[in-house]
Amino acid sequence: MPVRQLRLVVTATDYDEAVHFYRDVLGLGERDAVQSPDGRVMILDAGQATLELAEPATAEYIDQVEVGRRVAGHIRVAFEVTDTATVTAALADAGAEVLAEPRRTPFRSTNARLNGPAGLQLTLFQMD
């Protein structure tokens, strides 16, 4: 059976902060929102989804290239953007912790690393 969609589901303790950051600042489009008896869920459209699997040594190398040291857990979310510097600045203004400013990588991209709301570590990348 072919998979039709990859959906990353994140439990956000501060739901409003996470919605503001990912929808309003990062610009992920609102696909659907549902109110349950006990809370809310919003599905944001992030364009094309892929699943990137990396061996531990490779994940360490990527951290070294992007940040200069090992910082990621076993899950990191990467967003392709058109201007890494501009988006990094906007997310920092919205409360993200910048771990590494945009830099050219051997992957033919300009990448930045941030800690965002809901405990997500983010890579922003712009293909060069």
Side-chain angles (χ1 to χ4, degrees), residues 60-71 99-100 103 113:
E60 187 170 335
Y61 172 71
I62 293 168
D63 277 3
Q64 194 66 28
V65 166
E66 292 184 1
V67 184
R69 67 187 192 287
R70 185 73 172 125
V71 293
L99 299 174
R103 62 176 72 172
R113 187 74 70 90

Side-chain angles (χ1 to χ4, degrees), residues 18-101:
V19 167
H20 172 70
F21 185 88
Y22 294 106
R23 182 192 64 194
D24 303 335
V25 181
L26 186 56
L28 302 181
E30 185 176 326
R31 183 181 283 184
D32 198 7
V34 178
Q35 178 77 40
S36 74
D38 297 322
R40 301 169 286 170
V41 64
M42 183 173 294
I43 299 167
L44 300 174
D45 190 347
Q48 179 179 330
T50 60
L51 177 62
E52 180 176 323
L53 303 173
E55 291 183 317
T58 305
E60 187 170 335
Y61 172 71
I62 293 168
D63 277 3
Q64 194 66 28
V65 166
E66 292 184 1
V67 184
R69 67 187 192 287
R70 185 73 172 125
V71 293
H74 78 285
I75 294 178
R76 175 175 48 86
V77 181
F79 294 102
E80 182 177 2
V81 298
T82 57
D83 185 338
T84 305
T86 299
V87 177
T88 298
L91 296 183
D93 288 346
E97 174 191 8
V98 177
L99 299 174
E101 293 289 341

